[in-house]
């Protein structure tokens, strides 16, 4: 269960910052337009949005359609894909089925109401939904606040560059693939860190793994993800 | 600001912040640092993206009967009250910190804790305490170790201790193993945002006696 206390140990956090932590941003979010590997003209048009969901589904385009036309069919497509995932995430985080259902509905309603704030150059729809679900979970289960950093000045109103949108989408796909290709034990620890229902110490007690092993597995997993994102396509 | 920052947040903190599992006081320090440091902000967004991948690859839970219809009814009921997102508004303190102080530096209600040092405790939920520290130029914060973990983010001036120099935007991360003697550099007073999940213990007799009163 979630507690008010911290759930991430970082007893070794004063260790020097490793050299690899340089820049995830270029790998994850922003390719310089001049070096973007794919020409703008090749961006795929999505056309009809109520298509069957596949790995290729352009959720960002569908969400922008919800934003622009308040299209409930487009919203239903988003709902069918993401609501069951949000509910699963909340149940893994320690919510019972009823609370998870209520919060998942809330998260999806928030998606509708805040669609005008979504920036497809900054985040995938899954990432954006994750941040909404995380904040909802903090409200529901911990009754605490999570202060947000200052908004960057570009804010709503700027039109995202299509090259950035595409780069963001490719990076998200690579990150998802890299996560599923992690060794099972590393992947589980990363997921548990996001579920946030157990401290490293509790995971250590439950699995019999030494605390140091858990921390080094998480570090290895993050190293591997960074490596995947930095390597050229 | 960003190029002059040498002491950054760790992966553990950024992961905890992305996952939403840090105590509120620690999240306040993280959010304030992210407002000053583009590198760490990019890292934080990368950890959000990893959370998105976790959701995307997690698998599904069965929804309740009529879930979509119920959600459309929620939507029809109108948007919920939202806390406005913190916007830059100038001044020494980044917006998330101004939200907790109720304004900029002039709004801080300092209390003296001895030897010219002042502090102001910020309300920040259970699990950890956040406070602002004011250390006159050249003054030392009394020698102390830690029972828990402590984050110290410099907002103005600079201090030095066994780990090096910490200027504006730098964050020092200390745990049980650290016994340090931070000293403000001569000149401008050093103003820091600090968060700890345990009361500090001072080495000297007098500060220990004073501790329950001052909560430093």
């Amino acid at each position: 269960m979630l507690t008010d206390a911290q759930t991430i140990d970082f007893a070794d956090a004063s260790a020097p910052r490793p050299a690899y932590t340089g820049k995830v941003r270029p790998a994850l979010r922003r390719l310089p337009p001049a070096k973007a590997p794919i020409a703008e003209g090749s961006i795929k048009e999505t056309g009809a949005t109520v298509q069957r969901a596949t790995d290729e589904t352009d959720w960002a385009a569908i969400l922008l359609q919800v934003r622009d036309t308040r299209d409930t069919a487009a919203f239903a497509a988003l709902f069918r894909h993401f609501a069951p995932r949000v509910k699963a995430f909340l149940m893994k985080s320690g919510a019972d089925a009823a609370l998870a259902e209520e919060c998942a509905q809330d998260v999806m309603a928030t998606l509708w109401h805040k669609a005008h704030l979504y920036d497809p150059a900054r985040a995938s729809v899954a990432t954006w939904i994750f941040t909404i679900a995380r904040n909802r979970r903090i409200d529901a289960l911990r009754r605490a606040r999570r202060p947000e950093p200052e908004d960057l000045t570009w804010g709503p109103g700027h039109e995202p560059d299509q090259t950035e949108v595409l780069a963001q989408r490719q990076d998200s796909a690579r990150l998802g693939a890299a996560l599923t290709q992690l060794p099972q034990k590393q992947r589980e620890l990363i997921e548990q860190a996001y579920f946030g229902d157990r401290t490293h110490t509790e995971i250590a007690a439950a699995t019999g793994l030494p605390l140091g092993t858990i921390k080094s597995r998480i570090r290895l997993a993050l190293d591997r993800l960074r490596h995947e994102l930095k390597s050229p396509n | 600001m960003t190029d002059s920052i040498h002491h950054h947040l760790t992966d553990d903190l950024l992961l905890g912040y992305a996952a939403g599992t840090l105590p509120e006081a620690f999240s306040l320090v993280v959010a304030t640092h992210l407002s000053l440091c583009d590198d760490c902000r990019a890292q934080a967004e990368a950890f959000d993206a990893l959370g998105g991948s976790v959701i995307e690859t997690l698998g599904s839970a069965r929804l309740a009967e009529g879930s979509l219809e119920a959600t459309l009814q929620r939507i029809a009921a109108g948007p919920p009250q939202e806390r406005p997102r913190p916007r830059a508004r100038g001044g020494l303190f980044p917006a998330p910190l101004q939200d907790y102080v109720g304004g900029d530096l002039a709004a801080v209600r300092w209390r003296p804790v001895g030897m010219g040092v002042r502090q102001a405790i910020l309300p920040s939920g259970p699990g950890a305490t956040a406070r602002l520290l004011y250390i006159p130029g050249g003054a030392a914060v009394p020698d102390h170790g830690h029972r828990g973990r402590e984050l110290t983010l410099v907002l103005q001036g600079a201090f030095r201790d066994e780990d090096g120099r910490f200027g504006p935007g730098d964050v020092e991360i200390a745990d049980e193993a650290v016994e340090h003697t931070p000293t403000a550099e001569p000149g401008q007073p050093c103003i820091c945002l600090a968060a700890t999940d345990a009361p500090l213990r001072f080495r000297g007799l007098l500060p220990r006696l004073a501790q329950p009163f001052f909560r430093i």
Side-chain angles (χ1 to χ4, degrees):
Chain A
M1 290 302 296
L2 295 176
T3 65
D4 288 324
Q6 70 290 342
T7 56
I8 297 285
D9 291 297
F10 50 105
D12 58 348
S14 59
R17 197 174 160 83
Y20 62 72
T21 60
K23 312 262 179 183
V24 168
R25 178 177 233 153
L28 193 61
R29 251 205 53 214
R30 208 169 60 178
L31 294 178
K35 292 182 197 159
I38 294 180
E40 207 167 320
S42 68
I43 293 171
K44 199 170 60 181
E45 292 297 326
T46 48
T49 56
V50 201
Q51 67 211 17
R52 254 186 63 223
T54 68
D55 285 351
E56 293 299 306
T57 306
D58 186 352
W59 295 115
I62 298 176
L63 180 53
L64 295 183
Q65 182 168 353
V66 169
R67 178 192 73 181
D68 294 338
T69 67
R70 310 266 87 178
D71 178 347
T72 50
F75 178 77
L78 284 165
F79 186 92
R80 278 194 295 273
H81 183 73
F82 285 107
R85 288 172 165 78
V86 171
K87 185 171 179 180
F89 170 73
L90 293 167
M91 290 178 71
K92 293 268 191 184
S93 299
D96 62 27
L99 180 60
E101 171 74 28
E102 189 189 325
C103 290
Q105 291 184 17
D106 242 20
V107 168
M108 297 309 292
T110 303
L111 186 75
W112 173 285
H113 288 304
K114 288 189 163 181
H116 62 287
L117 294 175
Y118 174 66
D119 180 348
R122 285 186 72 180
S124 70
V125 174
T127 296
W128 204 52
I129 287 177
F130 161 73
T131 62
I132 296 171
R134 169 198 64 205
N135 292 348
R136 187 68 189 82
R137 186 191 73 198
I138 293 172
D139 284 348
L141 298 184
R142 297 178 68 200
R143 301 183 195 290
R145 278 181 68 187
R146 178 183 177 278
E148 300 274 344
E150 236 168 53
D151 247 357
L152 292 177
T153 42
W154 58 38
H158 94 117
E159 271 308 309
D161 179 331
Q162 282 306 308
T163 316
E164 284 181 31
V165 173
L166 182 63
Q168 192 290 121
R169 202 178 150 197
Q170 290 173 331
D171 288 341
S172 291
R174 288 173 68 191
L175 183 60
L179 179 63
T180 56
Q181 283 158 20
L182 283 178
Q184 185 63 23
K185 288 170 180 173
Q186 290 180 19
R187 182 180 167 185
E188 280 172 7
L189 285 175
I190 292 282
E191 288 177 347
Q192 282 173 350
Y194 280 92
F195 302 150
D197 61 335
R198 289 200 288 184
T199 63
H200 289 184
T201 312
E202 286 165 345
I203 294 170
T207 60
L209 287 172
L211 201 54
T213 306
I214 291 172
K215 289 179 179 177
S216 62
R217 274 191 190 157
I218 288 181
R219 204 170 299 134
L220 275 175
L222 294 177
D223 277 355
R224 197 181 285 236
L225 292 173
R226 286 196 172 99
H227 179 76
E228 286 298 319
L229 292 172
K230 275 182 184 169
S231 57
N233 284 313
Chain B
M1 176 66 88
T2 282
D3 289 341
S4 61
I5 295 176
H6 301 291
H7 300 274
H8 295 271
L9 297 168
T10 57
D11 279 350
D12 280 335
L13 282 166
L14 289 166
L15 179 57
Y17 182 70
T21 52
L22 296 180
E24 187 175 331
F26 285 8
S27 288
L28 175 60
V29 177
V30 171
T32 305
H33 179 81
L34 295 185
S35 301
L36 299 168
C37 179
D38 289 346
D39 282 352
C40 286
R41 187 193 284 263
Q43 295 279 339
E45 291 189 2
F47 278 107
D48 281 350
L50 186 53
S53 292
V54 167
I55 283 234
E56 185 65 70
T57 57
L58 182 62
S60 308
R62 180 196 289 271
L63 295 176
E65 193 101 352
S67 187
L68 173 60
E69 292 69 26
T71 303
L72 290 170
Q73 281 171 16
R74 277 173 199 259
I75 289 171
Q81 282 284 329
E82 286 287 337
R83 207 176 274 122
R85 296 176 59 82
R87 298 220 170 261
R89 55 195 84 137
L92 178 65
F93 298 160
L97 180 55
Q98 291 203 21
D99 286 346
Y100 277 75
V101 171
D104 202 32
L105 184 57
V108 179
R109 300 174 67 181
W110 296 109
R111 292 179 178 280
V113 291
M115 291 169 285
V117 178
R118 295 185 247 164
Q119 74 166 356
I121 293 178
L122 305 174
S124 57
T129 311
R131 67 201 197 286
L132 286 161
L133 284 171
Y134 175 105
I135 308 157
V141 175
D143 186 19
H144 59 291
H146 305 264
R147 249 178 256 141
R149 304 168 297 169
E150 186 184 41
L151 311 181
T152 307
L153 170 66
V154 178
L155 300 159
Q156 175 192 292
F159 71 82
R160 283 178 186 276
D161 68 11
E162 288 79 350
D163 287 337
R165 178 185 187 273
F166 294 82
D170 283 330
V171 59
E172 179 176 61
I173 299 161
D175 62 26
E176 291 90 342
V178 175
E179 296 268 345
H180 63 164
T181 317
T183 303
E185 284 192 346
Q188 204 176 22
C190 180
I191 295 173
C192 302
L193 171 64
T196 180
D197 59 5
L200 305 190
R201 58 190 151 88
F202 284 95
R203 312 290 295 170
L205 176 63
L206 190 63
R208 187 181 301 148
L209 288 174
Q211 197 169 319
F213 299 102
F214 298 136
R215 291 182 64 196
I216 188 168

